[in-house]
Amino acid sequence: MSLITVDQANRVFHLHNQTLSYIFAVEQGGTLSHLYFGGHVDHYHGELRYPRVDRGFSGNLPGSTDRTFSRDTLPKEYSTAGEMDYHLPAAIVRHTDGANALFLVYQGYRIEAGKPKLSGLPAAFVEDETEAETLTIVLVDQVSQVEFDLQYTIYRDRPVVTRSVQVCNQGDHAVNLEKVASMQIDFTDRQFETITLPGAHANERHPERGSINYGIQTFGSLRGTSSHQMNPFLALVDHTTTEFSGDAYGFNLVYSGNHAFELEKDQLDQLHLMVGINSYNFNWQLKAGATFQTPEVLMVYTNKGLNAMSQAYHHLIRERVVRSEFKNQERPIVVNNWEATFFDFNEAKLKPIVDEAKQLGIEMFVLDDGWFGHRDDDNSSLGDWQVDHRKFPQGLNHFVKYVHEQGLKFGIWLEPEMISYDSKLYQQHPDYLMQVPGRSPSPSRNQYILDLGRQAVRNNIFDQLDQLLKSKQIDYIKWDMNRHLSDIYSVALPPERQGEVYHRYVLGLYELLERLTTAYPHILFEGCSGGGGRFDAGMAYYMPQIWASDNTDAVARLTIQYGTSLAYPISLATAHVSVSPNQQTGRETSMSTRSAVAASGVLGYELDLTQLSSADKQIVQKQVVQYKQIRPLIQFGEFYRLKSPITSNQAAWMFVSPQQDEAIVMVFNLTSYAQPSLTKTKLVGLNPKLNYQNIATKAIFGGDELMQLGFYDPVVYQDYTTKVYHFRAVTEN
Ligand code: GLA
């Protein structure tokens, strides 16, 4: 079955699969009019058109006497500055005469099987041409011959449409792109709420549900990265939408730099949403004949609530955004030495941690920050990716060999985008860091940003990393980025092109990652940016897992991991058990609660294993054995949020196997009270016709019983307790 239907006579385009329909038409003046995005429509006859009304102060098409058609009121697919639309434009193009007029007119379309790659940018892909179809709508400004190709891909078996835009300058003169959103969508007669994922360093992705008022509202980042502060994801939901019912529209931008999700509710209660690169300090010179590709937006629609939206993202990102050969592999349980030693270590001090890790069944040792240059604190050596012989007198290989001999894999921390003043790299190339001529660059964590937009800088870093990687048996890289961009300037670009620096940085980063992951496909990459400061689908394309937060406190992590799961799969989020009291919050939690929270993601340990009490060692050993048993279920099962730590005194979630024959349920109690109210946990996602046995108690429940009646949570007089249930299907009813 074709996924894209074109009604040639009425010039209507209908993208459809079993779940959704996305419909737009060409209207007067070659204007693309958005008609519908929602549940699948089978018998569509094209009757719905935007009513013609003469509205004051909303002008009409040039040369037309029809006062009832206005690009200002019409819901559209893409608006530009200078076309008599008073909304925020999706694109602004500045011409050599200084004008920013652009009037895009429909020219034609192309349909192709599958999904083409986006040049220079990460994006969702297909493994087989029959999985998706791509529609390209060509819009052209007749005067300048600047062409906008709107790209839409619909997947056959996913509730997903992806969108991006390619701008081609077919004219004779260079133009400047001052803004190019990846998509626009306009809704009429809908009263949505927003769900976003704001946060802070060590406090990332706390879901926030907000109302949409008249005017313009922007959720975005100006930090040069996707940021801890506002993840590049937004959902539009109805007031009545819950986890398990109602409309949910998700928009997830596959991009790791400045982004903007702009909403405008207008005078007619119409809603206008644009998603793309933030236009702040963006100005791209597009020469005659050149093209510019925007990043891609992953749109999901479901009428089954937020859980279904999240599951669509979990599958899409895990299966068709992450490229690594590790995408379907169970991830190793690591021990990382950061919170165990910080910078104060050497080979002799690390070996006992490795020995202990082996005893406990841990599978990888990760050597964190401080192994290179002469880095005894965070003031030096970034840019010098050679081992510190004071800490490893016999070289790094000697230690790597030791780790491997214990049967563990070896991982290493890198922060390749940075430079310290106190480094050999800075002595050799003081021009490599981003700085504005005549001004002192601003330090952050006493470090500076390398200008990754420059090929020479990328080559230097690639060569250093290549040297390190080709001579060592390194199994894993933790790729960190511990500050945000400032001093936006590149000596490689003329003054009039400095508005390209932010985006060129991201493109440079992607190119470097492309080279490295291609040269070293057998290395497992973990993304990190002071925890989850760059937790986005762009990084997921190169790195199948990302350190979710520098905050390892189990209670804080409940909200962070809960929020993360809205838009990202469990296999992407790494989570470590660390010491109690926690180093970030001072909170004390039991080993079992810390273990359960970390086991709700890609489990690891981040503490000095040699300092554990023997009781805790036993718990860890048992936990490691248990995690290995349930690891496929956790990392690749269907994930359901049951109770929110934001709106209740509990958090609960569950993981169900694809065959629905096994489930892990975790219920976390937060603050303890005298005379507590009783709470129940009701499960979801099971087969109502199957019987399930609680493996610990041997009690048997019907699937429908667990989902309809649920069970009482035990009453516990203690803060931050956890109950983990493991159910397995036993017989058919
Ligand atoms: C960041 C990371 C930490 C650790 C430190 C090392 O903050 O998120 O996990 O690697 O850097 O400097």
Side-chain angles (χ1 to χ4, degrees), residues 201 336 338 343 368-369 375 378 413 415 445 478 480 482 528-531 547 550 606:
H201 173 228
N336 178 305
W338 177 240
F343 293 100
D368 210 279
D369 194 357
R375 190 160 160 97
D378 54 14
W413 180 95
E415 198 179 355
R445 208 192 193 204
K478 176 177 172 188
D480 210 339
N482 276 316
C528 178
S529 175
W547 181 223
D550 273 351
E606 183 132 354

Side-chain angles (χ1 to χ4, degrees), residues 600-669:
S600 302
V602 176
L603 172 72
Y605 292 85
E606 183 132 354
L607 38 72
D608 187 346
L609 296 172
T610 62
Q611 300 298 310
L612 285 178
S613 67
S614 57
D616 276 352
K617 272 184 197 164
Q618 276 178 13
I619 299 180
V620 169
Q621 200 160 28
K622 209 167 135 205
Q623 175 75 28
V624 166
V625 170
Q626 281 169 351
Y627 187 73
K628 286 178 184 169
Q629 283 162 3
I630 61 173
R631 179 161 47 187
L633 189 52
I634 300 284
Q635 296 181 1
F636 304 107
E638 216 61 84
F639 177 75
Y640 295 89
R641 290 178 298 271
L642 302 177
K643 297 184 190 187
S644 162
I646 302 156
T647 53
S648 75
N649 191 33
Q650 289 183 307
W653 46 55
M654 64 185 287
F655 306 82
V656 182
S657 66
Q659 303 76 21
Q660 293 175 299
D661 57 357
E662 197 178 354
I664 299 284
V665 183
M666 300 193 190
V667 183
F668 306 92
N669 280 345

Side-chain angles (χ1 to χ4, degrees), residues 27-31 50-74 84 103:
E27 297 264 6
Q28 267 163 265
T31 314
Y50 190 72
R52 297 294 189 259
V53 181
D54 181 358
R55 303 266 193 191
F57 295 88
S58 287
N60 314 112
L61 291 176
S64 164
T65 54
D66 179 358
R67 294 166 56 147
T68 67
F69 183 86
S70 172
R71 280 195 168 194
D72 186 41
T73 53
L74 188 78
M84 172 52 78
F103 194 92

Side-chain angles (χ1 to χ4, degrees), residues 55-109:
R55 303 266 193 191
F57 295 88
S58 287
N60 314 112
L61 291 176
S64 164
T65 54
D66 179 358
R67 294 166 56 147
T68 67
F69 183 86
S70 172
R71 280 195 168 194
D72 186 41
T73 53
L74 188 78
K76 296 207 297 293
E77 286 291 306
Y78 207 75
S79 308
T80 56
E83 63 164 41
M84 172 52 78
D85 179 348
Y86 295 109
H87 296 90
L88 272 185
I92 305 174
V93 176
R94 184 80 54 188
H95 304 280
T96 41
D97 62 5
N100 70 358
L102 199 79
F103 194 92
L104 293 179
V105 173
Y106 172 78
Q107 267 314 260
Y109 72 93

Side-chain angles (χ1 to χ4, degrees), residues 591-600 623 626-627 630 633-634 651 653-655 663-669 694-697 711 713-714 721-727:
M591 179 55 91
S592 61
T593 289
R594 280 176 280 150
S595 299
V597 174
S600 302
Q623 175 75 28
Q626 281 169 351
Y627 187 73
I630 61 173
L633 189 52
I634 300 284
W653 46 55
M654 64 185 287
F655 306 82
I664 299 284
V665 183
M666 300 193 190
V667 183
F668 306 92
N669 280 345
N694 177 332
I695 290 178
T697 65
F711 49 79
D713 301 316
T721 54
T722 303
K723 191 89 183 128
V724 179
Y725 305 88
H726 193 167
F727 293 97

